[in-house]
Amino acid sequence: MSITKNLQDIQSQLPKNVTLVAVSKTKPVSDIMQAYQSGQRIFGENKIQDMVEKFDEMPKDIQWHMIGHVQRNKVKYMAHFVRLIHGVENFKTLKEIDKQAAKHNRIIDCLLQIKIASEDSKFGMTANEASEILQSKEFSELKNVNVIGVMGMATFTDNEEQIRSEFNLLKSTFNDLKLYNQKLTTISMGMSGDYKLAIDCGSTMVRVGSSIFGVRNQ
Ligand SMILES: *Cc1c(COP(=O)(O)O)cnc(C)c1O
């Protein structure tokens, strides 16, 4: 199966209101260019350094999404171009993104990562923490970040009911947060193995890697 064919298959199954982030982490520019030539413009990377290298080499109409853990000391390397940061885990990171965005006269869109999985390995804040941030005075003073929604990763398991209940938790967290913050539009949830289930549960943005580009070696 070719990258183009994979992309078309997935795109044809997505409802109109669901955005596809093609997760290109660990994949070479030549693979990403195949997806680009099939019309894909949104790509997700999980390491800031890799994303910067690909940004430098690739067409400038690509929208780069940072989907991985955000190390605060590296925000400065992506602040001039990153389009959406999915994995904001605390206020300090939001503050750093704001500071670096201001240097480039930009407003950077962000998602708050909510911990919905039972696994300890998964990052993120609680729904309460997210709610506190969005209602805080400190947050209202940040002029160069725009929080547009939430992101979550389900537990790595075959148990569909568990995944469904974790996705439902993210959706209801989003609904609660939206009561205070009408600007929220985006629920980033769903990967190759579970994006259809995620869409059933209200996802508006899916992050699909291996179903497009094939399995990763790393
Ligand atoms: C790697 C990754 C994905 C894509 O995973 P696939 O199973 O290859 O689709 C999605 N989201 C995050 C945060 C990832 O790190």
Side-chain angles (χ1 to χ4, degrees):
M1 286 272 268
S2 72
I3 290 170
T4 301
K5 179 82 172 50
N6 293 343
L7 252 180
Q8 286 167 350
D9 281 353
I10 293 166
Q11 281 287 14
S12 71
Q13 293 172 52
L14 297 183
K16 282 230 160 48
N17 67 316
V18 176
T19 302
L20 174 64
V21 180
V23 175
S24 51
K25 63 187 186 193
T26 78
K27 297 296 177 182
V29 166
S30 56
D31 284 8
I32 308 172
M33 275 314 290
Q34 283 185 48
Y36 180 86
Q37 266 140 15
S38 331
Q40 182 67 27
R41 290 293 180 274
I42 304 177
F43 293 94
E45 290 282 329
N46 71 336
K47 295 209 170 74
I48 293 173
Q49 209 57 54
D50 292 351
M51 188 172 76
V52 170
E53 281 171 25
K54 289 169 180 176
F55 165 76
D56 285 341
E57 274 187 58
M58 297 195 62
K60 293 299 173 282
D61 61 341
I62 289 177
Q63 300 173 23
W64 291 100
H65 287 198
M66 175 41 54
I67 62 168
H69 173 64
V70 179
Q71 286 170 277
R72 272 197 289 281
N73 61 340
K74 291 187 179 164
V75 170
K76 55 178 176 283
Y77 301 120
M78 63 174 171
H80 59 297
F81 71 92
V82 67
R83 182 61 177 264
L84 177 62
I85 300 176
H86 291 234
V88 176
E89 294 162 61
N90 50 52
F91 183 73
K92 270 185 168 173
T93 299
L94 213 47
K95 208 170 160 182
E96 176 64 13
I97 296 167
D98 180 74
K99 178 177 153 194
Q100 298 301 332
K103 290 184 185 166
H104 298 280
N105 263 315
R106 297 188 69 218
I107 296 172
I108 297 180
D109 287 344
C110 295
L111 302 176
L112 300 181
Q113 182 166 354
I114 311 293
K115 187 176 178 344
I116 54 172
S118 52
E119 294 164 291
D120 280 342
S121 60
K122 296 277 156 70
F123 293 104
M125 60 179 84
T126 64
N128 266 339
E129 286 166 331
S131 160
E132 274 170 22
I133 287 176
L134 291 181
Q135 294 177 78
S136 69
K137 180 163 177 292
E138 294 95 317
F139 173 70
S140 68
E141 287 162 354
L142 303 182
K143 299 301 175 210
N144 296 81
V145 287
N146 186 27
V147 172
I148 62 164
V150 294
M151 180 269 211
M153 285 175 88
T155 303
F156 187 72
T157 172
D158 289 334
N159 183 341
E160 198 179 301
E161 276 322 299
Q162 183 176 356
I163 298 174
R164 186 183 290 277
S165 84
E166 292 174 1
F167 283 158
N168 283 335
L169 173 62
L170 189 60
K171 168 72 173 166
S172 66
T173 300
F174 172 85
N175 288 346
D176 291 346
L177 295 175
K178 203 172 154 78
L179 295 175
Y180 306 106
N181 196 315
Q182 261 94 59
K183 274 200 303 196
L184 303 187
T185 55
T186 304
I187 306 176
S188 168
M189 63 182 182
M191 322 199 327
S192 290
D194 55 23
Y195 73 90
K196 286 176 195 156
L197 184 55
I199 292 168
D200 274 355
C201 298
S203 172
T204 68
M205 186 173 274
V206 293
R207 310 175 307 268
V208 180
S210 45
S211 291
I212 297 171
F213 295 105
V215 293
R216 288 177 296 271
N217 301 319
Q218 290 137 280

mmCIF file of all heavy atoms in Angstrom, residues 147-175:
data_model
loop_
_atom_site.group_PDB
_atom_site.id
_atom_site.type_symbol
_atom_site.label_atom_id
_atom_site.label_comp_id
_atom_site.label_asym_id
_atom_site.label_seq_id
_atom_site.Cartn_x
_atom_site.Cartn_y
_atom_site.Cartn_z
ATOM 1 N N VAL A 147 -5.657 29.103 23.728
ATOM 2 C CA VAL A 147 -6.032 27.708 24.006
ATOM 3 C C VAL A 147 -7.328 27.403 23.265
ATOM 4 O O VAL A 147 -8.348 28.060 23.482
ATOM 5 C CB VAL A 147 -6.200 27.457 25.526
ATOM 6 C CG1 VAL A 147 -6.776 26.053 25.772
ATOM 7 C CG2 VAL A 147 -4.854 27.589 26.233
ATOM 8 N N ILE A 148 -7.257 26.449 22.345
ATOM 9 C CA ILE A 148 -8.427 26.155 21.503
ATOM 10 C C ILE A 148 -9.063 24.799 21.816
ATOM 11 O O ILE A 148 -10.014 24.402 21.149
ATOM 12 C CB ILE A 148 -8.088 26.240 19.996
ATOM 13 C CG1 ILE A 148 -7.027 25.203 19.602
ATOM 14 C CG2 ILE A 148 -7.633 27.643 19.611
ATOM 15 C CD1 ILE A 148 -6.940 24.968 18.096
ATOM 16 N N GLY A 149 -8.536 24.074 22.814
ATOM 17 C CA GLY A 149 -9.175 22.802 23.135
ATOM 18 C C GLY A 149 -8.312 21.889 23.976
ATOM 19 O O GLY A 149 -7.425 22.352 24.701
ATOM 20 N N VAL A 150 -8.605 20.600 23.867
ATOM 21 C CA VAL A 150 -7.937 19.602 24.707
ATOM 22 C C VAL A 150 -7.401 18.452 23.853
ATOM 23 O O VAL A 150 -7.840 18.228 22.727
ATOM 24 C CB VAL A 150 -8.900 19.023 25.766
ATOM 25 C CG1 VAL A 150 -9.311 20.084 26.772
ATOM 26 C CG2 VAL A 150 -10.138 18.394 25.104
ATOM 27 N N MET A 151 -6.445 17.740 24.436
ATOM 28 C CA MET A 151 -5.862 16.578 23.774
ATOM 29 C C MET A 151 -5.747 15.462 24.794
ATOM 30 O O MET A 151 -5.560 15.722 25.988
ATOM 31 C CB MET A 151 -4.481 16.958 23.252
ATOM 32 C CG MET A 151 -3.721 15.876 22.540
ATOM 33 S SD MET A 151 -2.665 14.910 23.614
ATOM 34 C CE MET A 151 -1.352 14.498 22.489
ATOM 35 N N GLY A 152 -5.904 14.226 24.334
ATOM 36 C CA GLY A 152 -5.730 13.109 25.253
ATOM 37 C C GLY A 152 -5.292 11.852 24.533
ATOM 38 O O GLY A 152 -5.509 11.710 23.319
ATOM 39 N N MET A 153 -4.661 10.979 25.290
ATOM 40 C CA MET A 153 -4.257 9.678 24.757
ATOM 41 C C MET A 153 -4.850 8.584 25.628
ATOM 42 O O MET A 153 -4.658 8.582 26.848
ATOM 43 C CB MET A 153 -2.738 9.543 24.767
ATOM 44 C CG MET A 153 -2.054 10.346 23.679
ATOM 45 S SD MET A 153 -0.268 10.257 23.860
ATOM 46 C CE MET A 153 0.058 8.774 22.915
ATOM 47 N N ALA A 154 -5.525 7.649 24.978
ATOM 48 C CA ALA A 154 -6.130 6.542 25.719
ATOM 49 C C ALA A 154 -5.055 5.536 26.135
ATOM 50 O O ALA A 154 -3.955 5.519 25.597
ATOM 51 C CB ALA A 154 -7.193 5.858 24.859
ATOM 52 N N THR A 155 -5.397 4.709 27.088
ATOM 53 C CA THR A 155 -4.521 3.611 27.508
ATOM 54 C C THR A 155 -4.216 2.698 26.319
ATOM 55 O O THR A 155 -5.065 2.488 25.457
ATOM 56 C CB THR A 155 -5.227 2.784 28.610
ATOM 57 O OG1 THR A 155 -5.551 3.653 29.691
ATOM 58 C CG2 THR A 155 -4.343 1.649 29.111
ATOM 59 N N PHE A 156 -2.992 2.184 26.273
ATOM 60 C CA PHE A 156 -2.616 1.228 25.231
ATOM 61 C C PHE A 156 -3.160 -0.138 25.616
ATOM 62 O O PHE A 156 -2.589 -0.855 26.427
ATOM 63 C CB PHE A 156 -1.089 1.205 25.088
ATOM 64 C CG PHE A 156 -0.629 0.374 23.941
ATOM 65 C CD1 PHE A 156 -0.802 0.811 22.634
ATOM 66 C CD2 PHE A 156 -0.024 -0.861 24.156
ATOM 67 C CE1 PHE A 156 -0.390 0.039 21.559
ATOM 68 C CE2 PHE A 156 0.386 -1.646 23.079
ATOM 69 C CZ PHE A 156 0.208 -1.197 21.784
ATOM 70 N N THR A 157 -4.313 -0.480 25.071
ATOM 71 C CA THR A 157 -4.992 -1.734 25.443
ATOM 72 C C THR A 157 -5.914 -2.184 24.323
ATOM 73 O O THR A 157 -6.288 -1.379 23.457
ATOM 74 C CB THR A 157 -5.842 -1.533 26.728
ATOM 75 O OG1 THR A 157 -6.623 -2.706 26.966
ATOM 76 C CG2 THR A 157 -6.809 -0.365 26.583
ATOM 77 N N ASP A 158 -6.283 -3.454 24.330
ATOM 78 C CA ASP A 158 -7.264 -3.971 23.373
ATOM 79 C C ASP A 158 -8.690 -3.799 23.887
ATOM 80 O O ASP A 158 -9.649 -4.076 23.180
ATOM 81 C CB ASP A 158 -7.038 -5.478 23.143
ATOM 82 C CG ASP A 158 -5.772 -5.734 22.351
ATOM 83 O OD1 ASP A 158 -5.376 -4.832 21.582
ATOM 84 O OD2 ASP A 158 -5.179 -6.825 22.510
ATOM 85 N N ASN A 159 -8.821 -3.399 25.119
ATOM 86 C CA ASN A 159 -10.137 -3.287 25.743
ATOM 87 C C ASN A 159 -10.882 -2.053 25.233
ATOM 88 O O ASN A 159 -10.666 -0.936 25.699
ATOM 89 C CB ASN A 159 -9.947 -3.225 27.269
ATOM 90 C CG ASN A 159 -11.264 -3.194 28.006
ATOM 91 O OD1 ASN A 159 -12.317 -2.868 27.425
ATOM 92 N ND2 ASN A 159 -11.219 -3.522 29.282
ATOM 93 N N GLU A 160 -11.754 -2.282 24.277
ATOM 94 C CA GLU A 160 -12.433 -1.174 23.614
ATOM 95 C C GLU A 160 -13.303 -0.367 24.582
ATOM 96 O O GLU A 160 -13.415 0.855 24.462
ATOM 97 C CB GLU A 160 -13.285 -1.725 22.466
ATOM 98 C CG GLU A 160 -13.667 -0.648 21.490
ATOM 99 C CD GLU A 160 -14.501 -1.181 20.320
ATOM 100 O OE1 GLU A 160 -13.992 -2.060 19.615
ATOM 101 O OE2 GLU A 160 -15.629 -0.713 20.147
ATOM 102 N N GLU A 161 -13.920 -1.057 25.531
ATOM 103 C CA GLU A 161 -14.785 -0.343 26.475
ATOM 104 C C GLU A 161 -13.984 0.644 27.324
ATOM 105 O O GLU A 161 -14.447 1.742 27.638
ATOM 106 C CB GLU A 161 -15.544 -1.338 27.369
ATOM 107 C CG GLU A 161 -16.806 -1.869 26.710
ATOM 108 C CD GLU A 161 -17.556 -0.802 25.898
ATOM 109 O OE1 GLU A 161 -17.986 0.213 26.497
ATOM 110 O OE2 GLU A 161 -17.699 -0.958 24.675
ATOM 111 N N GLN A 162 -12.766 0.224 27.689
ATOM 112 C CA GLN A 162 -11.912 1.132 28.460
ATOM 113 C C GLN A 162 -11.529 2.363 27.630
ATOM 114 O O GLN A 162 -11.611 3.500 28.095
ATOM 115 C CB GLN A 162 -10.648 0.407 28.937
ATOM 116 C CG GLN A 162 -9.782 1.319 29.800
ATOM 117 C CD GLN A 162 -8.563 0.625 30.373
ATOM 118 O OE1 GLN A 162 -8.364 -0.578 30.200
ATOM 119 N NE2 GLN A 162 -7.732 1.390 31.060
ATOM 120 N N ILE A 163 -11.138 2.117 26.375
ATOM 121 C CA ILE A 163 -10.761 3.235 25.506
ATOM 122 C C ILE A 163 -11.951 4.177 25.336
ATOM 123 O O ILE A 163 -11.826 5.400 25.434
ATOM 124 C CB ILE A 163 -10.267 2.718 24.139
ATOM 125 C CG1 ILE A 163 -9.018 1.842 24.329
ATOM 126 C CG2 ILE A 163 -9.959 3.874 23.198
ATOM 127 C CD1 ILE A 163 -8.534 1.169 23.058
ATOM 128 N N ARG A 164 -13.117 3.591 25.109
ATOM 129 C CA ARG A 164 -14.320 4.407 24.928
ATOM 130 C C ARG A 164 -14.595 5.271 26.162
ATOM 131 O O ARG A 164 -14.903 6.466 26.045
ATOM 132 C CB ARG A 164 -15.532 3.516 24.622
ATOM 133 C CG ARG A 164 -16.787 4.286 24.285
ATOM 134 C CD ARG A 164 -17.981 3.365 24.064
ATOM 135 N NE ARG A 164 -17.885 2.586 22.840
ATOM 136 C CZ ARG A 164 -18.239 3.056 21.638
ATOM 137 N NH1 ARG A 164 -18.713 4.270 21.511
ATOM 138 N NH2 ARG A 164 -18.124 2.296 20.566
ATOM 139 N N SER A 165 -14.449 4.685 27.331
ATOM 140 C CA SER A 165 -14.761 5.482 28.527
ATOM 141 C C SER A 165 -13.710 6.580 28.734
ATOM 142 O O SER A 165 -14.032 7.673 29.206
ATOM 143 C CB SER A 165 -14.942 4.590 29.756
ATOM 144 O OG SER A 165 -13.705 4.292 30.329
ATOM 145 N N GLU A 166 -12.478 6.327 28.317
ATOM 146 C CA GLU A 166 -11.460 7.386 28.422
ATOM 147 C C GLU A 166 -11.724 8.514 27.418
ATOM 148 O O GLU A 166 -11.595 9.697 27.739
ATOM 149 C CB GLU A 166 -10.063 6.778 28.236
ATOM 150 C CG GLU A 166 -9.694 5.868 29.413
ATOM 151 C CD GLU A 166 -8.380 5.110 29.264
ATOM 152 O OE1 GLU A 166 -7.679 5.276 28.239
ATOM 153 O OE2 GLU A 166 -8.045 4.337 30.179
ATOM 154 N N PHE A 167 -12.128 8.159 26.224
ATOM 155 C CA PHE A 167 -12.484 9.185 25.228
ATOM 156 C C PHE A 167 -13.713 9.975 25.691
ATOM 157 O O PHE A 167 -13.775 11.200 25.521
ATOM 158 C CB PHE A 167 -12.751 8.539 23.865
ATOM 159 C CG PHE A 167 -11.506 8.127 23.110
ATOM 160 C CD1 PHE A 167 -11.580 7.159 22.116
ATOM 161 C CD2 PHE A 167 -10.270 8.714 23.367
ATOM 162 C CE1 PHE A 167 -10.437 6.778 21.404
ATOM 163 C CE2 PHE A 167 -9.129 8.336 22.666
ATOM 164 C CZ PHE A 167 -9.219 7.361 21.675
ATOM 165 N N ASN A 168 -14.688 9.267 26.283
ATOM 166 C CA ASN A 168 -15.877 9.972 26.792
ATOM 167 C C ASN A 168 -15.504 10.959 27.888
ATOM 168 O O ASN A 168 -16.083 12.044 27.990
ATOM 169 C CB ASN A 168 -16.910 8.968 27.307
ATOM 170 C CG ASN A 168 -17.665 8.294 26.169
ATOM 171 O OD1 ASN A 168 -17.776 8.846 25.067
ATOM 172 N ND2 ASN A 168 -18.170 7.095 26.419
ATOM 173 N N LEU A 169 -14.512 10.565 28.685
ATOM 174 C CA LEU A 169 -14.042 11.469 29.743
ATOM 175 C C LEU A 169 -13.445 12.743 29.136
ATOM 176 O O LEU A 169 -13.695 13.855 29.613
ATOM 177 C CB LEU A 169 -12.997 10.747 30.611
ATOM 178 C CG LEU A 169 -12.291 11.598 31.662
ATOM 179 C CD1 LEU A 169 -13.287 12.139 32.681
ATOM 180 C CD2 LEU A 169 -11.202 10.783 32.370
ATOM 181 N N LEU A 170 -12.688 12.592 28.058
ATOM 182 C CA LEU A 170 -12.096 13.780 27.429
ATOM 183 C C LEU A 170 -13.186 14.670 26.837
ATOM 184 O O LEU A 170 -13.148 15.897 26.975
ATOM 185 C CB LEU A 170 -11.086 13.374 26.344
ATOM 186 C CG LEU A 170 -10.247 14.525 25.780
ATOM 187 C CD1 LEU A 170 -9.418 15.212 26.867
ATOM 188 C CD2 LEU A 170 -9.332 14.053 24.655
ATOM 189 N N LYS A 171 -14.165 14.058 26.216
ATOM 190 C CA LYS A 171 -15.274 14.819 25.636
ATOM 191 C C LYS A 171 -16.056 15.575 26.718
ATOM 192 O O LYS A 171 -16.378 16.755 26.555
ATOM 193 C CB LYS A 171 -16.194 13.852 24.858
ATOM 194 C CG LYS A 171 -17.527 14.415 24.450
ATOM 195 C CD LYS A 171 -17.424 15.437 23.338
ATOM 196 C CE LYS A 171 -18.825 15.835 22.858
ATOM 197 N NZ LYS A 171 -18.791 17.049 22.036
ATOM 198 N N SER A 172 -16.304 14.929 27.843
ATOM 199 C CA SER A 172 -17.083 15.621 28.880
ATOM 200 C C SER A 172 -16.228 16.697 29.560
ATOM 201 O O SER A 172 -16.742 17.751 29.944
ATOM 202 C CB SER A 172 -17.668 14.641 29.897
ATOM 203 O OG SER A 172 -16.650 14.020 30.635
ATOM 204 N N THR A 173 -14.927 16.459 29.654
ATOM 205 C CA THR A 173 -14.032 17.506 30.161
ATOM 206 C C THR A 173 -14.085 18.727 29.247
ATOM 207 O O THR A 173 -14.190 19.870 29.702
ATOM 208 C CB THR A 173 -12.571 16.982 30.234
ATOM 209 O OG1 THR A 173 -12.532 15.859 31.112
ATOM 210 C CG2 THR A 173 -11.620 18.062 30.728
ATOM 211 N N PHE A 174 -14.032 18.466 27.958
ATOM 212 C CA PHE A 174 -14.130 19.557 26.974
ATOM 213 C C PHE A 174 -15.437 20.328 27.163
ATOM 214 O O PHE A 174 -15.440 21.565 27.211
ATOM 215 C CB PHE A 174 -14.048 18.972 25.560
ATOM 216 C CG PHE A 174 -14.328 19.963 24.463
ATOM 217 C CD1 PHE A 174 -13.313 20.779 23.980
ATOM 218 C CD2 PHE A 174 -15.599 20.087 23.915
ATOM 219 C CE1 PHE A 174 -13.565 21.709 22.969
ATOM 220 C CE2 PHE A 174 -15.857 21.002 22.905
ATOM 221 C CZ PHE A 174 -14.837 21.811 22.440
ATOM 222 N N ASN A 175 -16.538 19.611 27.287
ATOM 223 C CA ASN A 175 -17.838 20.276 27.455
ATOM 224 C C ASN A 175 -17.863 21.155 28.702
ATOM 225 O O ASN A 175 -18.375 22.273 28.673
ATOM 226 C CB ASN A 175 -18.962 19.241 27.527
ATOM 227 C CG ASN A 175 -19.227 18.591 26.180
ATOM 228 O OD1 ASN A 175 -18.771 19.076 25.140
ATOM 229 N ND2 ASN A 175 -19.957 17.475 26.188
#
